[in-house]
Amino acid sequence: MRRMVLFLSLLSVPLAAPAAGSAGADLDPVEVSVRDTVSLQNGAKLFVNYCMSCHSARFMRYNRLARDLDIPEDLVKKHMIFNDGKIGDPMLVTMTPEDGEAWFGVAPPDLSLIGKLRDPAWLYNYLRTFYLDDSTVSGWNNKVFPNVAMPHVLSDLQGIQKAVFETRQDRNGSTHDVLVGFELVREGTMTAHEFDDAMRDLTNFLYYMAEPARMVRITWGIWTLLFLAVFGVLAFLLKKEYWRDVH
Ligand code: HEC
């Protein structure tokens, strides 16, 4: 019996882990798909324009991006490579980690694999929940990453929002301020809906970048299953044929 309990508790560990990672913050869901090329193209555009001044993506090369996302190489060269980089170069930034640390207190991490470290819902909510906060060094705070050192670099698009808190009492009788929503104090160039869509595309791109092979894998997976299905039918017919005289 005890062994059984141990076995069950082991089983439940990986199930419980993702929930613990997003503790406290209820995340809006997001759907990502590496087969949605238009969304990935838009995400890539946002990434090079708004993120690559600080973050690199050193495991991704521009020509791979061009091929996977179906963007002609000359367009990538013209609109996505801002330094004198070549099409086969990795996506690096000129900022050194030391500069990053001096400016923000924390060096902006490389984002090649962030889509593996953080799940899509976390990234989607992170990008949408920056809010004004006088008490932090940058003047910004974030709902899913409290006291983050990154400023809200998309405030032109989203607008500027402040957080709405509600005081709630927990079971022990002590009170806490709980973040219950946001209030726009300055409009951005996008509506809330447009901004959500754009952040879905950016999340999709980060998700793709963490494992570009996912694209090929899904296609191969479908073909493999089809092959197995056809082969299974053939094998069954053959078996029937071979055993016909025996029965
Ligand atoms: C002005 C510089 C700057 C720009 C531009 C910027 N970031 Fe950041 N970012 C930072 C810094 C600094 C951190 C580290 C925050 C910390 O650890 O407190 C960070 C952290 C992050 C993290 C969290 C990493 C983790 O530890 O889980 C993500 C995700 C991220 N950035 C995504 C983006 C995306 C996407 C963009 C483009 C929309 C972007 N950043 C643009 C400076 C920047």
Side-chain angles (χ1 to χ4, degrees):
M1 178 65 194
R2 202 183 285 165
R3 244 190 236 167
M4 179 80 178
V5 171
L6 182 69
F7 176 69
L8 284 178
S9 63
L10 278 179
L11 265 186
S12 64
V13 168
L15 293 178
S22 52
D26 45 323
L27 300 177
D28 296 338
V30 64
E31 264 186 42
V32 285
S33 161
V34 292
R35 299 171 78 81
D36 187 346
T37 311
V38 176
S39 155
L40 290 177
Q41 288 173 345
N42 191 35
K45 195 173 89 190
L46 289 164
F47 184 76
V48 292
N49 282 301
Y50 290 97
C51 316
M52 275 191 69
S53 42
C54 294
H55 295 281
S56 56
R58 73 174 77 129
F59 298 132
M60 178 53 86
R61 287 178 193 275
Y62 290 104
N63 52 0
R64 163 136 215 182
L65 190 91
R67 195 181 60 216
D68 282 357
L69 270 50
D70 222 358
I71 314 175
E73 285 198 355
D74 52 324
L75 286 188
V76 170
K77 265 195 226 157
K78 206 155 131 201
H79 298 294
M80 293 185 145
I81 308 182
F82 300 126
N83 46 22
D84 50 5
K86 301 195 179 46
I87 190 78
D89 284 354
M91 298 172 72
L92 299 178
V93 279
T94 39
M95 185 202 287
T96 63
E98 292 77 33
D99 280 346
E101 213 173 314
W103 291 332
F104 305 108
V106 189
D110 184 90
L111 292 185
S112 315
L113 299 178
I114 196 71
K116 270 196 195 297
L117 192 69
R118 305 286 197 182
D119 67 68
W122 189 93
L123 290 168
Y124 176 65
N125 283 265
Y126 172 69
L127 293 167
R128 291 157 58 251
T129 61
F130 281 90
Y131 63 91
L132 280 179
D133 187 345
D134 297 338
S135 67
T136 63
V137 182
S138 67
W140 296 103
N141 209 329
N142 189 280
K143 183 178 170 192
V144 296
F145 192 151
N147 300 320
V148 68
M150 173 171 147
H152 186 16
V153 295
L154 298 168
S155 58
D156 282 354
L157 307 182
Q158 186 186 25
I160 294 178
Q161 57 188 8
K162 66 176 193 199
V164 181
F165 291 96
E166 236 174 60
T167 310
R168 296 211 180 128
Q169 209 168 38
D170 66 17
R171 257 184 266 152
N172 306 323
S174 44
T175 53
H176 302 274
D177 284 341
V178 183
L179 201 166
V180 288
F182 296 104
E183 211 177 270
L184 212 56
V185 290
R186 198 168 83 207
E187 295 215 347
T189 53
M190 288 183 170
T191 63
H193 190 74
E194 286 166 347
F195 186 74
D196 284 355
D197 280 349
M199 291 309 101
R200 179 198 162 244
D201 294 344
L202 184 51
T203 302
N204 203 13
F205 176 71
L206 295 174
Y207 176 73
Y208 144 78
M209 189 160 62
E211 200 186 338
R214 202 179 258 129
M215 281 180 152
V216 194
R217 217 176 54 207
I218 293 177
T219 316
W220 272 98
I222 293 171
W223 280 112
T224 310
L225 287 179
L226 271 177
F227 168 78
L228 285 177
V230 172
F231 180 77
V233 172
L234 282 178
F236 177 70
L237 291 176
L238 260 179
K239 179 208 161 238
K240 257 176 80 174
E241 182 65 24
Y242 286 157
W243 286 81
R244 198 173 42 192
D245 299 335
V246 181
H247 292 305

